[in-house]
Amino acid sequence: MESQVLSIRGMTCAACAQRIERSVKKLEGIETATVNLASEKLFVEYDGGTLPLATIKETVVKIGYEVVEQSNNSTVTIPIGGMTCAACAQRVEKAIRKMEGIEIVSVNLATEKATVTYHPQKVRVSAIKETIEKAGYQALDISKTNAADEDRARKQQEIRTLWTKFIVSAVFSLPLLYIAMVPMITWVRLPFPGGLDPMNYPLIYALVELLLVIPVIIVGHKFYTIGFKALIQRSPNMDSLIAIGTTSAVIYSTYNVWQIAQGVFGAVESLYFETAGVIITLILLGKSLEAVSKGRTSEAIKKLMGLTPKTALVIEEGVEKEIPIDEVEIGDIIVVKPGAKIPVDGTVIQGNTAIDESMLTGESMPVDKKVDDPVYAATLNTNGVIQFKATKIGSDTALARIIKLVEDAQGSKAPIAKLADIVAGYFVPIVCVIAVIAGIAWYIGTGNTEFALTIFISVLVIACPCALGLATPTAIMVGTGKGAENGILIKGGEALETAHKINTIVFDKTGTITEGKPKVTDVITIDGRADDYLLSITASAEKGSEHPLGQAIVVGAQEKGIELLPVEGFEAITGRGINAVIKGMQILAGNRKLMDERGISLEKLEAASDKLAAEGKTPMYVAINDELAGIIAVADVVKPSSKAAIERLHTMGIKVAMITGDNKKTAAAIASQVGIDRVLSEVLPQDKSNEVKKLQAEGRKVAMVGDGINDAPALAQADIGIAIGSGTDVAMESADIVLMRSDLMDVPTAINLSKRTIRNIKQNLFWAFGYNTVGIPIAAGVLHLFGGPLLNPIFAAAAMSLSSVSVLSNALRLKRFKATK
């Protein structure tokens, strides 16, 4: 199954998004298809073996939209010296085109530049420059653009175009409105040209109105081309409503101009050109404000994209050389000086420094780095000079993975949006039917064509499918973006919605509530054995273990300078301990379960074991040749933020449980330190998911917080899996929410963000449904039936424009969200 993100251009409302989704889902081989109106993207999963991507793109184009595939290609403009004629340009073009990974190449002799679109993974810019040099020309300094920059420039251009159209439209529609309205205002005398007096010069008056409305219609031509095309294809959208309404007004008014020309001067009172002109102007104003607001909803991801430096300082043959970031390859040695950003992910091979990783993790304190420590793209080197070896580049860096995760989340849909999607699919046809019925009913009831036309236009213009379509995606985009800014990566709308319902959170103990760096605290022996002897035997046996407690014993022995003995045999016993052979002796090290299963009596050390457990220490029993030899106690320090985070969760009404493989007494000691409500102790790793299932069987909505690797089954079983880690090595695939820092305060922050976002979505949906539920009947003249006012189409257009802007503005309030302290 393949996945692809396509940029869609030409969508104007929720009906457009629904139409694309329906058309694409009909194709054989489509698994899922989701359109995000706010980000103008189609997220599609499909069987590439049976369905070519080209077919999906053709389907979208056929129904009237433009599709642009999201590409990892880069475009570079290389100035070339030494070209003298067209043959030179052709020679350079041919030479570059022969290279693998070249998509498009164009050499302009007049500007002396080559514009090349290429695959950074297949070809480096340095190789393109070498090819130009080999062809006998000079490759000079270059300038580069990427897909993100191009998208940003396109959206800025789109905003500028909309504002220009609005200004042009306003320049003509305001005089048109003035000319149309002033003759009707009798209670105050306003300046008005005598040559346009409708009583004395009706034809001139009508023709001036017609001439003023034509530029407005030209500026708003897209409403007609898109709207009528959608209507013909039996899938009307918002543009169709505007097109039908304004066209009706213009045609009826143009007919009355002809009537005036025939001498029927009374028709001068039946001109509605200003209605069409002002409606288009107000809609353009709304669209301009909407485009600006939509741009702001995706600011978080733009910030992430802008973090990576454009160049890297690479050591080649002992010389420092600055090259474009796309030319960096795995294995390159990169120098980073104080104040510079790390260009790609890698491992330090020389030097010491402190690196500010706040842009990735939200952690304000710089992190000390030494040889063999990892460094990550876009983080800031604060003081020392370091050299590091590039290990991950391009789309494999931690930052690129975060950007991809956030983009996917922003393209997802929350279950709460399903009703809005269903309504949006039928909304426009229903509005058209209501408009026609209302218009006919009022014509039959009054016999007044102008009155019926006003009702017809008002109903069409006031309906706003945009507000329905933008209610959910804009809030999700801002919410997930705000989460990313705070080091909280929420994987999608469903996770966001489920998180706000959580009433029980289960924390794994080791590495989550505690630091995950246990230390040896006590060594207790029997039968006169020396402490160091027991530590030496146990550490030697544990050297092959990957368990944190085993590793702690190895480190404890090394810190004391104790020599480790060769191991003749080793077996890890999951959830219990280890079995090893050293100098012919059978060594067992592990928990009470292991000793009980092997029939080893713990009676001699029972009191000591209980005392250690009561202090929150984990007793590791050691047996030599099936005889108890002693206990090595290991303790893990509780994280400073654990108690505060659990207290905050309690204030939010959430029950907190802790799951651990430790014995009951040790677990209870840790739990009492931080205020845990429920302790699930002596749980084997493979049984953690069953414990989560038991809690769910009690009717609880459960979140599981773990390291994302060892706890993968439990994370998958929980309603919400939250992986907590260093922000880079966490297993992003195993959880619904990834916390970049190891700070437990991010757990209540994530729950709060979810609650705020879902509340925002509900407010948006309430406004969108409420606006249309109230607005359409008023436009249809329901109030007028009972002696109330009649809604003018101009005010209907203003209300429609403001409805989608208000939804976007409400979503943008989420940008003020503050992390839990």
Side-chain angles (χ1 to χ4, degrees):
M1 202 60 70
E2 296 179 30
S3 61
Q4 193 72 41
V5 181
L6 304 174
S7 285
I8 308 292
R9 296 176 195 168
M11 291 192 295
T12 56
C13 66
C16 300
Q18 281 293 302
R19 185 179 179 205
I20 293 167
E21 274 188 20
R22 280 201 306 269
S23 301
V24 172
K25 281 176 180 173
K26 285 177 185 173
L27 297 172
E28 192 176 339
I30 290 288
E31 182 71 20
T32 60
T34 306
V35 176
N36 186 318
L37 176 63
S39 62
E40 297 178 300
K41 285 178 181 170
L42 164 63
F43 296 79
V44 63
E45 284 186 15
Y46 63 101
D47 183 354
T50 59
L51 179 66
L53 181 62
T55 305
I56 299 172
K57 292 162 89 170
E58 282 168 17
T59 302
V60 177
V61 172
K62 270 181 191 173
I63 57 174
Y65 303 93
E66 188 183 348
V67 59
V68 182
E69 185 179 344
Q70 291 288 90
S71 172
N72 290 322
N73 291 350
S74 287
T75 301
V76 60
T77 300
I78 309 174
I80 300 172
M83 292 193 297
T84 56
C85 64
C88 298
Q90 284 293 310
R91 187 178 174 193
V92 173
E93 212 169 275
K94 281 180 184 174
I96 296 171
R97 193 173 281 121
K98 285 177 184 175
M99 299 176 71
E100 187 187 358
I102 299 296
E103 289 285 314
I104 304 166
V105 58
S106 172
V107 178
N108 188 315
L109 178 63
T111 59
E112 296 184 298
K113 287 178 181 176
T115 302
V116 185
T117 302
Y118 66 100
H119 265 292
Q121 284 78 22
K122 292 181 182 177
V123 63
R124 295 176 72 161
V125 175
S126 55
I128 300 172
K129 290 165 81 173
E130 278 174 27
T131 301
I132 294 168
E133 299 276 352
K134 281 178 185 174
Y137 305 93
Q138 285 178 289
L140 307 173
D141 288 339
I142 63 174
S143 62
K144 292 172 55 57
T145 60
N146 56 36
D149 294 332
E150 285 172 5
D151 189 56
R152 193 178 297 115
R154 179 185 67 79
K155 286 188 174 172
Q156 287 299 322
Q157 180 58 43
E158 186 182 306
I159 290 168
R160 281 195 296 271
T161 303
L162 280 167
W163 278 119
T164 304
K165 285 183 173 182
F166 163 67
I167 291 165
V168 171
S169 180
V171 164
F172 287 95
S173 61
L174 287 174
L176 174 60
L177 181 63
Y178 187 85
I179 290 167
M181 300 307 290
V182 168
M184 291 188 241
I185 300 170
T186 54
W187 60 90
V188 64
R189 192 167 181 80
L190 294 169
F192 192 80
L196 291 180
D197 186 347
M199 293 299 104
N200 297 320
Y201 309 103
L203 186 57
I204 294 173
Y205 174 81
L207 289 172
V208 167
E209 282 200 13
L210 177 60
L211 289 172
L212 284 170
V213 84
I214 288 170
V216 180
I217 290 169
I218 293 168
V219 165
H221 72 278
K222 278 203 166 181
F223 295 129
Y224 302 98
T225 54
I226 295 170
F228 284 124
K229 186 176 182 181
L231 199 62
I232 291 163
Q233 293 175 338
R234 292 185 299 175
S235 185
N237 58 13
M238 186 204 74
D239 293 319
S240 305
L241 299 177
I242 297 163
I244 297 166
T246 55
T247 302
S248 302
V250 170
I251 289 173
Y252 182 70
S253 301
T254 306
Y255 166 74
N256 284 319
V257 172
W258 181 78
Q259 286 281 78
I260 293 165
Q262 299 302 308
V264 184
F265 299 132
V268 77
E269 294 177 9
S270 302
L271 299 178
Y272 286 89
F273 290 123
E274 83 286 352
T275 300
V278 175
I279 285 171
I280 290 170
T281 303
L282 288 169
I283 302 295
L284 285 171
L285 173 61
K287 286 285 172 191
S288 303
L289 294 170
E290 191 179 304
V292 172
S293 299
K294 275 159 76 174
R296 288 182 62 202
T297 61
S298 56
E299 269 178 10
I301 206 149
K302 287 175 188 169
K303 279 183 192 170
L304 287 171
M305 287 175 166
L307 288 175
T308 313
K310 303 292 183 193
T311 59
L313 201 59
V314 176
I315 296 178
E316 288 185 4
E317 297 176 1
V319 179
E320 290 181 7
K321 182 181 177 184
E322 191 170 15
I323 64 170
I325 192 78
D326 288 333
E327 291 190 40
V328 176
E329 290 184 346
I330 291 172
D332 281 353
I333 306 301
I334 298 166
V335 179
V336 184
K337 296 176 180 177
K341 284 185 177 181
I342 308 292
V344 295
D345 290 4
T347 306
V348 178
I349 59 169
Q350 185 180 312
N352 296 288
T353 188
I355 290 182
D356 178 2
E357 296 184 345
S358 60
M359 57 287 296
L360 287 187
T361 65
E363 182 61 66
S364 57
M365 291 297 291
V367 181
D368 290 331
K369 299 287 180 179
K370 58 185 187 302
V371 173
D372 291 334
D373 283 346
V375 291
Y376 304 104
T379 56
L380 184 67
N381 183 23
T382 59
N383 49 37
V385 178
I386 57 166
Q387 290 184 15
F388 74 92
K389 182 182 282 188
T391 56
K392 289 179 180 175
I393 60 172
S395 59
D396 293 327
T397 65
L399 178 66
R401 285 163 62 210
I402 290 166
I403 290 169
K404 176 74 168 67
L405 196 149
V406 175
E407 277 186 328
D408 288 348
Q410 294 187 342
S412 67
K413 285 189 177 179
I416 196 172
K418 283 178 182 171
L419 178 60
D421 287 345
I422 293 165
V423 172
Y426 298 100
F427 184 81
V428 177
I430 290 169
V431 169
C432 289
V433 171
I434 292 170
V436 170
I437 291 171
I440 292 170
W442 279 106
Y443 179 74
I444 293 168
T446 64
N448 188 327
T449 307
E450 287 85 357
F451 188 88
L453 183 64
T454 300
I455 294 286
F456 176 71
I457 295 169
S458 293
V459 172
L460 290 174
V461 172
I462 200 167
C464 188
C466 282
L468 285 171
L470 293 169
T472 305
T474 49
I476 287 176
M477 285 175 76
V478 179
T480 52
K482 199 66 192 172
E485 283 178 25
N486 287 285
I488 299 164
L489 303 180
I490 300 165
K491 287 193 173 180
E494 192 166 346
L496 200 61
E497 183 171 341
T498 306
H500 93 285
K501 300 174 185 172
I502 294 299
N503 54 29
T504 303
I505 295 183
V506 180
F507 287 97
D508 179 50
K509 187 198 75 136
T510 307
T512 304
I513 288 175
T514 63
E515 292 284 5
K517 296 172 184 174
K519 292 183 179 179
V520 173
T521 58
D522 302 84
V523 179
I524 300 169
T525 63
I526 55 176
D527 299 334
R529 290 186 177 88
D531 291 357
D532 285 0
Y533 173 76
L534 186 68
L535 193 57
S536 170
I537 288 285
T538 311
S540 302
E542 290 283 7
K543 195 170 183 186
S545 171
E546 293 182 0
H547 195 282
L549 298 183
Q551 290 296 308
I553 292 171
V554 175
V555 171
Q558 289 171 339
E559 285 174 352
K560 282 192 164 189
I562 294 171
E563 187 180 343
L564 300 186
L565 305 170
V567 179
E568 293 151 28
F570 175 83
E571 179 194 2
I573 306 165
T574 305
R576 287 164 176 78
I578 55 107
N579 181 15
V581 178
I582 298 173
K583 289 187 175 180
M585 296 183 291
Q586 194 80 22
I587 310 297
L588 282 174
N591 57 21
R592 182 182 290 270
K593 279 185 182 176
L594 178 62
M595 299 299 151
D596 289 346
E597 285 172 4
R598 299 300 173 100
I600 297 167
S601 172
L602 304 177
E603 191 178 344
K604 289 180 182 177
L605 292 174
E606 200 75 62
S609 170
D610 289 348
K611 182 176 178 291
L612 292 168
E615 293 169 358
K617 298 170 183 175
T618 302
M620 176 90 75
Y621 299 98
V622 183
I624 301 174
N625 292 329
D626 291 337
E627 289 288 331
L628 185 65
I631 291 176
I632 296 177
V634 177
D636 195 358
V637 181
V638 171
K639 287 179 184 174
S641 63
S642 295
K643 192 169 195 276
I646 289 163
E647 283 174 359
R648 180 57 62 93
L649 289 169
H650 283 151
T651 63
M652 293 164 65
I654 295 171
K655 293 285 183 188
V656 181
M658 182 180 78
I659 195 164
T660 177
D662 285 348
N663 63 61
K664 287 180 182 176
K665 287 183 179 175
T666 303
I670 296 287
S672 66
Q673 286 180 46
V674 294
I676 296 287
D677 301 309
R678 187 165 174 175
V679 179
L680 307 169
S681 58
E682 298 179 11
V683 179
L684 298 176
Q686 62 267 31
D687 293 333
K688 286 182 180 179
S689 61
N690 288 331
E691 293 296 329
V692 171
K693 206 179 285 184
K694 286 177 190 173
L695 289 169
Q696 289 170 324
E698 294 173 17
R700 298 176 182 276
K701 283 282 182 185
V702 181
M704 170 74 191
V705 184
D707 62 14
I709 301 168
N710 300 330
D711 304 312
L715 289 169
Q717 175 61 43
D719 296 286
I720 288 290
I722 302 176
I724 185 165
S726 65
T728 47
D729 295 325
V730 290
M732 291 187 178
E733 295 304 316
S734 57
D736 303 296
I737 297 174
V738 178
L739 307 181
M740 304 295 285
R741 298 177 290 185
S742 293
D743 188 348
L744 283 197
M745 286 303 287
D746 286 345
V747 176
T749 298
I751 303 294
N752 268 331
L753 179 61
S754 165
K755 288 185 174 184
R756 286 278 300 276
T757 306
I758 295 302
R759 188 163 73 234
N760 192 283
I761 289 172
K762 286 178 178 175
Q763 289 166 352
N764 283 348
L765 288 172
F766 175 80
W767 167 252
F769 279 114
Y771 163 82
N772 284 296
T773 306
V774 173
I776 293 171
I778 291 172
V782 170
L783 292 181
H784 195 68
L785 269 177
F786 302 98
L790 182 67
L791 187 67
N792 187 295
I794 291 172
F795 293 113
M800 193 275 260
S801 297
L802 287 171
S803 67
S804 52
V805 174
S806 64
V807 163
L808 283 160
S809 301
N810 189 48
L812 289 170
R813 287 193 309 114
L814 280 171
K815 291 171 78 72
R816 299 203 292 263
F817 176 82
K818 293 283 191 296
T820 304
K821 297 294 182 190

